[in-house]
Amino acid sequence: MNPKEQLEEYTRQVEAVVRSYLPPEEGYHKTVLEAMNYSMKAGGKRLRPLFMREVYRLFRSGDQDLRQERAVEPFMAAIEMIHTFSLVHDDLPCMDNDRLRRGQPTTWVRYGYDMAVLAGDALAVYAFETAAKALEFSDDPQAVGRCMGLLARKTGVSGMIGGQTVDVELTGKPVDAGQLDYIYENKTGALLEVSMMIGAVLGGAEESQVEAVEKMASCIGSAFQIQDDILDLTGTTENLGKPVLSDEKNEKTTYVTLYGMEEAREAVRRLSAQAEEILEGLPGDHDFLKALIDMLITREK
């Protein structure tokens, strides 16, 4: 398979794993479960669980049995639940006030403001209930516990939510380079970092290798967000599946508004090259991961 076909096949595999951990829609609280699953099934690139699995494969031992290899799957579903809850809340009228996500009505438009808040909250908590299922497959509960701690830290006030907080507070206000870097590192980068770090830890990576993976993921996360900024100005609603010019509408400073389009494009290239250089120093077959990084910086949606 060529890299594009391989990505499509791997994405289908990851999608199947994620969906296998979604809650059944039953009981008196069925509506919130439907809203959770509606949000999760809306599609997306599934990049975070895909990166998690592929980094895990770089480090895993060749003599691991099938049960052991399944230990990464609950975390693959959990990271996508956390990513989705952040999108559900981002779209709310009190935040970005978006009505379209991945070509479909946003969760609050479909289910109402109140149920969207509850669905986001539920996904955030259900993610950890799901991640804990890795204990059923792993012979290393200490590694699973460490991964759950990493997931909490990179999601919370020291990670994604911290970045979102600064982003919200500075909307419509002047933003300097340090503040913008903090937002990108945490709001976007933190979930990519923890995805790859979890893959490395569960795969048995040494501590120095986990640190290298974190740095690589940070570069990828920043490049991905800057490319998002570029596409918000140059893309179309049809391609992106969400409104364009939303940053301008919400008076947000981006890498493009701070440095200009050409420097933004150069930053994407520079950060991607740094990530690929780190990748070359890791064990295993790098071909697919390198192709994936290349595809991310040239994507149009």
Side-chain angles (χ1 to χ4, degrees), residues 63-132:
D63 59 1
Q64 283 183 335
D65 60 29
L66 183 60
R67 184 182 69 86
Q68 279 281 97
E69 291 209 357
R70 289 195 62 194
V72 74
E73 293 184 354
F75 281 101
M76 290 166 60
I79 194 67
E80 199 64 10
M81 291 172 188
I82 288 173
H83 174 54
T84 300
F85 110 70
S86 74
L87 299 181
V88 171
H89 284 180
D90 270 354
D91 290 335
L92 291 172
C94 64
M95 300 282 277
D96 289 346
N97 193 26
D98 281 330
R99 303 183 67 88
L100 196 66
R101 169 72 65 178
R102 294 166 178 165
Q104 299 184 44
T106 50
T107 307
W108 75 269
V109 171
R110 175 68 175 78
Y111 286 93
Y113 197 147
D114 50 0
M115 203 55 60
V117 172
L118 290 172
D121 291 345
L123 282 169
V125 178
Y126 197 68
F128 286 91
E129 181 179 339
T130 300

Side-chain angles (χ1 to χ4, degrees), residues 96 98 232 242-252:
D96 289 346
D98 281 330
D232 189 63
K242 62 182 180 179
V244 295
L245 303 177
S246 60
D247 293 329
E248 183 178 290
K249 178 192 74 174
N250 293 313
E251 301 181 77
K252 288 188 175 181

Side-chain angles (χ1 to χ4, degrees), residues 117-267:
V117 172
L118 290 172
D121 291 345
L123 282 169
V125 178
Y126 197 68
F128 286 91
E129 181 179 339
T130 300
K133 293 178 181 178
L135 291 167
E136 300 172 16
F137 305 111
S138 176
D139 291 334
D140 190 350
Q142 186 174 355
V144 173
R146 182 185 177 190
C147 288
M148 292 186 72
L150 287 170
L151 188 60
R153 178 165 62 86
K154 292 286 190 177
T155 299
V157 292
S158 298
M160 181 187 72
I161 291 175
Q164 288 177 314
T165 299
V166 176
D167 188 34
V168 168
E169 286 186 329
L170 293 179
T171 295
K173 300 176 183 178
V175 175
D176 62 34
Q179 293 167 326
L180 190 65
D181 285 346
Y182 178 86
I183 293 169
Y184 284 14
E185 172 67 22
N186 290 279
K187 184 179 178 182
T188 302
L191 290 193
L192 274 171
E193 288 167 16
V194 77
S195 298
M196 297 189 215
M197 292 171 75
I198 287 172
V201 171
L202 292 179
E206 298 175 1
E207 190 57 36
S208 61
Q209 293 172 321
V210 175
E211 292 172 2
V213 165
E214 182 177 20
K215 175 61 178 174
M216 176 179 70
S218 175
C219 292
I220 295 170
S222 293
F224 183 83
Q225 182 58 59
I226 296 169
Q227 183 68 7
D228 251 14
D229 295 345
I230 293 169
L231 291 175
D232 189 63
L233 292 172
T234 64
T236 65
T237 299
E238 290 73 25
N239 272 349
L240 299 178
K242 62 182 180 179
V244 295
L245 303 177
S246 60
D247 293 329
E248 183 178 290
K249 178 192 74 174
N250 293 313
E251 301 181 77
K252 288 188 175 181
T253 298
T254 69
Y255 204 94
V256 178
T257 60
L258 198 61
Y259 295 105
M261 182 65 74
E262 187 50 45
E263 173 55 30
R265 294 187 191 279
E266 177 55 33

